[in-house]
Amino acid sequence: MANVRLEDVSKAFKSAVAVDNLTLTIDEGEFFSLLGPSGCGKTTTLRMIGGFEEPSSGRIWLGDEDVSGLPAHKRDVNTVFQSYALFPHLSVAENVAYGLKRQGVAKDEIGPRVEAMLELVDLEGYGQRRTTQLSGGQQQRVALARALVNRPQVLLLDEPLGALDLKLRKQMQLELKRIQSEVGITFIYVTHDQEEAMTMSDRIAVMSAGRLEQVGAPQDVYELPATSFVASFLGASNLLEGEIEGTSGEVTKVRLGVGGTVTLPAGRLTDSEGPVAVGVRPEKLHIQTTNSSEVDRGDNAIEATVVNSTYTGVSTSYECATSDGTRLVVYVQNLERSASPPGAGAKVRLTWDPDHTFAVSKARPEKT
Amino acid sequence: MALGTQDRSAPAPPEPPPDRAGGGRKGSKSRKGLAPYLLTLPGVAWLVAFFAAPLGFMFLFTFYDGTIDIGYSFTSDWPQTYFEAFTTYDTQIIRSVIYALIVTVATLLISFPMMYWIAMKGGRRKNLFVLLMLLPFFTPFLIRTLAWQLVLSDQGIFLGTLKDIGLLSADFKLLASPLAVISGMTYNFLPFMALPLYVALEKLDSSLLDAAADLYSSKREAFLKVTLPLTLPGVFAGSLLTFIPSVGDFIDAEILGNPNTTMIGSIIRRQLLVNQDYPTGAALSFLLIAGILVAVFLYARALGTEELTG
Ligand SMILES: Nc1ncnc2c1ncn2[C@@H]1O[C@H](COP(=O)(O)OP(=O)(O)OP(=O)(O)O)[C@@H](O)[C@H]1O
Ligand SMILES: [Mg+2]
């Protein structure tokens, strides 16, 4: 059953269109992330689902109910705000109990539920503290408890870990995942950190400039980005321009602008002819010195020159350039001690499995 | 009792920065501890010279008897001075307190919505709106009150017009009534309430109101459970700043009132400056101070949050 559905939702502010024709379906119990750069409309989308902002057009469904016109306090949705927004005049326990009291939950039920929730977020015994006396991570957990205690259908989280340092962030990521699987509530999670989105989410929606670029499981979005924006936002994109040459059976051939052809599984292209850009992730590329062994039969290959190489211990990253100047990044794991890694200026051949080739529609219509 | 109730955790006097390594001067250690107190010296000296000392002299006067002509002498019967002062002027004292209470409530009711609107909806023009509100108060108290007298006068622009178009009968009077005095005071003391309220409302984080709505509070509940408790320090500060000077105010009563609206401030002024009955004037002053202290204490207890009393 679809839990949250956005249908052609747009939001225009005086100065700008923050969300542009967004259609999304989020399933029950899913950990769903909205990922995108700053200002792409993630918070605005979340605020519309929460009821703090009214869509300029489009509808929002919560389960079977159209909630488009419903004010925030009548929606069965709770939010963990980026700034936590804890009530400074109330204790930790009073903060957590706030929603239950407003809903008219019986008094003798509130205490135990608050206690249980504080335990879930590892804050037992903190009930009487003032929220201003807590560390950032603890405040974050109070905010989480305050929202979850109401057992909403959907929990909205707006960059909840944004204010925490890296170590605490990693720890809270795991903890959030644990809590989500324990309570089984749908989480809609906003972040601009692609790594965070990938580690935590069941599915990711990548947004750019108010528009939806791609929705899919982390592997799909990373391995097979559908647009050049997604390709470059989730790591080095390694895109090569070309022209579709034709499809025979399971494989499509693309003639590259720099010369040579590459192949990829037929299903990855939406068009059957015309310009296209193909790409491959840096860790999928193999680097060979040109005079060495032959290319495996069926592998894609392209000639390039090393521009520079960076040794990082676990791996070495090479920046290479093709003859037309297109930059390609290659990550090579340092499995063996290489006596003579190719240095700057070395002519190399880059090869990869055709199955790792992705294609993005070349000309994404510009936003008007 | 701090009026600036905003700074709940008023920091201890700041330590001067530690001496640079190697440059340690002799005696710098003891100076380090003293410096913050030395900084308060001018202020303390000022208060002692111009506040505490006169107050002390005034207090001494309440133990004396006599007039300026026959001279003053100490009297063991000083409680009688207080007793007489109170029984003679109890009407004016009670009237002053009642007027001041009404004025405090009225300024609160008028300025809260106004300041709420400016703080929440004022956007980039907030400061302009506050300035506009304060603009009339750039004129002196006395001038303002005299202008108010013109406004309220029987044939003035306000009543005169209403009478001309027949909305009021020709013998309707506003001036020289309790209503006129209270209106004038409400007007004159408005900024004392409005500014602390504005400060409290302005620093209210709007995401807290989002959070309240998120947690099932209607607009009204969010106001009662979040906005109001968080702006209470402003209400408290504003009430004190309004109530205390209004109890002792006499200009409004003298310009806009009649003999039956005389406030205790007028009496004290007359005793001290006209009749030169210093003991009675001083005793009245201290009765007033004591009354205000008790009232403020009770008020702080009633509001009952630790920020206010602590
Ligand atoms: N209340 C508002 N009034 C006018 N413009 C707004 C308002 N809120 C957001 N915007 C604009 O809408 C766009 C999207 O903003 P939004 O806050 O949704 O971005 P975001 O993806 O959450 O970014 P970030 O990662 O920086 O939080 C921005 O260009 C922003 O300037
Ligand atoms: Mg945001």
Side-chain angles (χ1 to χ4, degrees):
Chain A
M1 185 193 115
N3 202 261
V4 181
R5 209 161 79 239
L6 278 72
E7 274 178 17
D8 296 323
V9 171
S10 295
K11 176 72 191 182
F13 290 110
K14 253 181 235 146
S15 49
V17 178
V19 175
D20 191 2
N21 242 324
L22 193 63
T23 299
L24 265 184
T25 304
I26 296 153
D27 295 324
E28 197 166 340
E30 195 171 23
F31 197 118
F32 190 92
S33 289
L34 291 172
L35 174 67
S38 186
C40 72
K42 306 179 297 287
T43 297
T44 308
T45 306
L46 209 66
R47 287 176 62 81
M48 287 192 287
I49 300 173
F52 307 111
E53 214 84 69
E54 233 182 291
S56 311
S57 65
R59 332 214 117 263
I60 296 173
W61 299 77
L62 213 61
D64 298 327
E65 192 188 359
D66 181 352
V67 297
S68 310
L70 216 58
H73 70 275
K74 294 196 175 143
R75 294 193 192 188
D76 193 10
V77 166
N78 289 110
T79 309
V80 177
F81 294 89
Q82 179 160 17
S83 58
Y84 310 143
L86 299 177
F87 301 124
H89 59 300
L90 301 179
S91 70
V92 169
E94 286 167 332
N95 262 280
V96 178
Y98 187 95
L100 297 177
K101 283 190 190 154
R102 297 290 89 68
Q103 288 181 101
V105 173
K107 267 221 170 76
D108 49 348
E109 196 189 322
I110 292 180
R113 272 175 76 173
V114 168
E115 273 310 303
M117 196 44 69
L118 286 177
E119 199 172 312
L120 182 75
V121 299
D122 251 342
L123 283 178
E124 29 322 38
Y126 282 75
Q128 298 319 309
R129 295 264 197 115
R130 303 211 104 187
T131 56
T132 44
Q133 298 167 339
L134 300 180
S135 73
Q138 290 167 337
Q139 291 184 23
Q140 200 278 326
R141 282 181 281 177
V142 175
L144 186 65
R146 184 178 69 174
L148 276 180
V149 76
N150 304 294
R151 299 176 189 150
Q153 286 187 52
V154 181
L155 187 72
L156 308 176
L157 303 101
D158 190 357
E159 308 208 22
L161 309 182
L164 306 181
D165 65 52
L166 191 65
K167 194 161 161 251
L168 198 52
R169 230 180 134 105
K170 298 271 176 220
Q171 187 190 329
M172 284 304 299
Q173 285 176 5
L174 296 177
E175 208 151 323
L176 272 179
K177 260 314 252 192
R178 168 184 69 84
I179 289 169
Q180 197 249 350
S181 60
E182 241 166 84
V183 295
I185 290 173
T186 310
F187 275 35
I188 304 182
Y189 190 94
V190 162
T191 179
H192 61 252
D193 180 340
Q194 39 116 350
E195 206 182 310
E196 185 167 287
M198 298 226 239
T199 28
M200 302 181 75
S201 322
D202 296 321
R203 283 195 306 152
I204 299 175
V206 184
M207 291 178 69
S208 154
R211 299 229 217 161
L212 188 62
E213 293 276 336
Q214 189 177 1
V215 189
Q219 300 89 309
D220 295 343
V221 180
Y222 179 76
E223 311 265 342
L224 302 173
T227 67
S228 59
F229 175 83
V230 177
S232 59
F233 191 70
L234 297 177
S237 55
N238 288 349
L239 287 178
L240 297 158
E241 313 267 318
E243 187 98 20
I244 299 173
E245 207 172 74
T247 303
S248 63
E250 301 280 278
V251 280
T252 301
K253 273 192 170 167
V254 172
R255 170 159 297 283
L256 296 182
V258 292
T261 57
V262 295
T263 57
L264 69 161
R268 302 227 171 126
L269 284 170
T270 42
D271 304 326
S272 57
E273 55 184 345
V276 72
V278 296
V280 57
R281 290 298 185 188
E283 71 282 2
K284 307 287 191 320
L285 284 168
H286 304 291
I287 196 162
Q288 297 177 343
T289 38
T290 335
N291 51 19
S292 74
S293 57
E294 275 299 297
V295 177
D296 278 348
R297 275 177 60 86
D299 260 10
N300 289 323
I302 186 170
E303 309 296 325
T305 311
V306 175
V307 178
N308 65 53
S309 67
T310 316
Y311 178 78
T312 62
V314 183
S315 61
T316 302
S317 93
Y318 297 90
E319 194 183 341
C320 305
T322 60
S323 58
D324 69 349
T326 309
R327 296 289 162 122
L328 295 173
V329 178
V330 185
Y331 296 152
V332 180
Q333 264 198 38
N334 295 325
L335 298 175
E336 284 151 48
R337 255 179 75 96
S338 171
S340 56
K347 298 262 179 240
V348 292
R349 179 184 293 138
L350 306 176
T351 64
W352 70 96
D353 186 337
D355 197 38
H356 291 149
T357 316
F358 57 80
V360 300
S361 40
K362 191 167 166 279
R364 197 171 100 80
E366 274 308 300
K367 238 183 97 178
T368 44
Chain B
M1 160 87 46
L3 286 186
T5 50
Q6 330 290 355
D7 52 339
R8 195 182 315 141
S9 54
E15 289 271 354
D19 284 330
R20 273 185 218 111
R25 282 162 293 139
K26 274 202 179 134
S28 69
K29 194 136 197 189
S30 61
R31 229 183 275 172
K32 222 188 247 179
L34 271 181
Y37 301 99
L38 289 176
L39 286 176
T40 66
L41 212 57
V44 169
W46 177 273
L47 281 177
V48 167
F50 297 107
F51 179 72
L55 208 64
F57 282 126
M58 284 286 279
F59 192 55
L60 282 182
F61 260 123
T62 65
F63 299 105
Y64 281 73
D65 201 0
T67 67
I68 196 143
D69 300 322
I70 61 170
Y72 298 97
S73 60
F74 182 80
T75 168
S76 58
D77 204 18
W78 57 267
Q80 185 64 21
T81 316
Y82 278 93
F83 183 75
E84 245 168 48
F86 183 75
T87 47
T88 318
Y89 298 110
D90 58 342
T91 332
Q92 285 82 356
I93 292 179
I94 292 169
R95 181 185 295 139
S96 300
V97 170
I98 291 175
Y99 283 10
L101 280 176
I102 297 174
V103 166
T104 306
V105 173
T107 50
L108 180 63
L109 292 181
I110 292 171
S111 53
F112 199 101
M114 189 159 74
M115 292 300 122
Y116 184 88
W117 185 87
I118 294 179
M120 302 289 164
K121 313 275 179 201
R124 282 181 300 139
R125 281 191 280 273
K126 275 182 199 174
N127 289 339
L128 177 70
F129 288 134
V130 173
L131 184 72
L132 284 178
M133 191 215 77
L134 286 181
L135 217 50
F137 297 95
F138 284 26
T139 52
F141 200 111
L142 193 61
I143 309 269
R144 255 180 288 143
T145 313
L146 287 170
W148 201 238
Q149 187 183 35
L150 282 178
V151 173
L152 295 182
S153 65
D154 296 346
Q155 291 305 329
I157 41 169
F158 184 54
L159 292 191
T161 315
L162 287 179
K163 284 174 182 174
D164 287 346
I165 59 174
L167 274 177
L168 288 175
S169 69
D171 54 356
F172 181 85
K173 276 173 78 77
L174 208 51
L175 207 58
S177 71
L179 185 61
V181 177
I182 290 170
S183 315
M185 287 171 73
T186 302
Y187 167 69
N188 276 320
F189 288 107
L190 199 68
F192 294 84
M193 180 64 88
L195 288 180
L197 280 182
Y198 177 72
V199 172
L201 283 163
E202 213 270 331
K203 70 170 190 177
L204 185 74
D205 182 357
S206 70
S207 73
L208 293 178
L209 299 180
D210 278 346
D214 187 62
L215 297 163
Y216 315 102
S217 304
S218 62
K219 283 239 159 67
R220 193 176 145 268
E221 278 176 321
F223 180 80
L224 291 176
K225 298 286 176 188
V226 178
T227 309
L228 206 54
L230 286 174
T231 45
L232 220 50
V235 173
F236 182 76
S239 301
L240 292 189
L241 286 176
T242 310
F243 179 78
I244 294 171
S246 355
V247 175
D249 178 49
F250 56 88
I251 294 185
D252 287 281
E254 289 191 359
I255 295 180
L256 304 172
N258 64 33
N260 289 326
T261 64
T262 306
M263 292 176 67
I264 193 64
S266 295
I267 304 289
I268 295 175
R269 189 179 74 95
R270 210 177 303 149
Q271 295 299 351
L272 292 179
L273 301 182
V274 183
N275 302 346
Q276 293 178 326
D277 180 355
Y278 289 114
T280 306
L284 281 172
S285 301
F286 279 94
L287 283 173
L288 195 60
I289 291 172
I292 288 174
L293 282 179
V294 170
V296 166
F297 180 74
L298 291 178
Y299 181 54
R301 285 291 294 271
L303 280 192
T305 50
E306 67 208 61
E307 285 102 303
L308 303 180
T309 48

